[in-house]
Amino acid sequence: MLNKDHPRYQSLVYREKIVEAHKNGILADSGMIAHGRGETFDYLIGEKTTDNSHNTIDVSACYFLTSKHPVLSVNGNTTALVAEDIARLSKLLDIPVEINLYYRTSERVANIEKVYMDLGVDNLLGTDEDDFIDTPDLNGPRSPVSIEGIKKADLVFIPLEDGDRAEKLAQNGKNIISVDLNPLSRTAQTSTVTIVDNIVRVLPELINSIEKHVDMPRSQLEDKINGFNNKDNLDRAINDIITRF
């Protein structure tokens, strides 16, 4: 039983979700390690969404609203923490959710598929019934992607660190929006837009930002995109950490 008076109660809630996801066959063993690594960087930014990240979330909303074929790529950690928000975002923009796992088993895929089906996601890709094609120059279990999803996407949302895939997808001409608490990771460094923040805070903010920008003229959305530089964004994120300490 979690004590709501605990000073880090919310963090303990997320840890409990991670543990439950592992028990329920959604999360691989390494996903628990990845969550702990992310928590470390969350401490460094003060466990809050910075002004810089608020701006980056707005830029991400503009990318979603100007892209022809955006896709939400999900793994076990994402499903454990923010499946409801992923479903909301998918419905809001009428875009697909694609399951892409490093430690892929039919059992894990089925368990994750059930989560999103129960949440009403109609366009779910990356299941064992899907048609796949390998990502050029990417070896390993993340290489196969849905032909109707990431293969044809012009924008891929990668909600947690995934350096190899982010790098190769970017090299293949796709815009990448990543959520990564580590501004020095390869995912962060190779993405088109990197939101340096915790995924549990990002998704509600991103949904709100899309709703705020949805009626904005395309020219204004593109102006906001063109005024963004991810290197400057990452420099500011690093400076935010340095300033705190």
Side-chain angles (χ1 to χ4, degrees), residues 10 39 42 47 58 60 68-69 96 116 131 133 135 137 145 163-164 223:
Q10 201 59 59
E39 272 197 335
D42 207 7
E47 296 180 284
D58 285 344
S60 300
K68 292 182 178 179
H69 300 291
Y116 290 107
D131 293 322
I133 189 169
T135 303
D137 302 319
V145 296
D164 289 352
D223 284 345

Side-chain angles (χ1 to χ4, degrees), residues 27-118:
L27 195 68
D29 293 351
S30 62
M32 302 177 77
I33 298 171
H35 181 77
R37 184 174 64 225
E39 272 197 335
T40 301
F41 282 94
D42 207 7
Y43 295 156
L44 295 180
I45 66 171
E47 296 180 284
K48 66 180 182 179
T49 302
T50 64
D51 290 342
N52 180 56
S53 289
H54 277 299
N55 177 67
T56 310
I57 289 170
D58 285 344
V59 171
S60 300
C62 295
Y63 266 98
F64 271 109
L65 291 168
T66 55
S67 298
K68 292 182 178 179
H69 300 291
V71 172
L72 304 172
S73 178
V74 298
N75 61 5
N77 289 68
T78 308
T79 303
L81 295 172
V82 290
E84 294 86 354
D85 289 322
I86 289 289
R88 285 179 59 203
L89 184 54
S90 172
K91 294 172 188 176
L92 176 64
L93 293 173
D94 191 24
I95 60 176
V97 174
E98 180 169 338
I99 301 168
N100 189 282
L101 307 176
Y102 190 87
Y103 298 101
R104 184 184 179 97
T105 67
S106 293
E107 181 181 6
R108 281 191 71 206
V109 171
N111 291 335
I112 293 173
E113 180 180 4
K114 184 178 186 306
V115 170
Y116 290 107
M117 294 295 287
D118 288 348

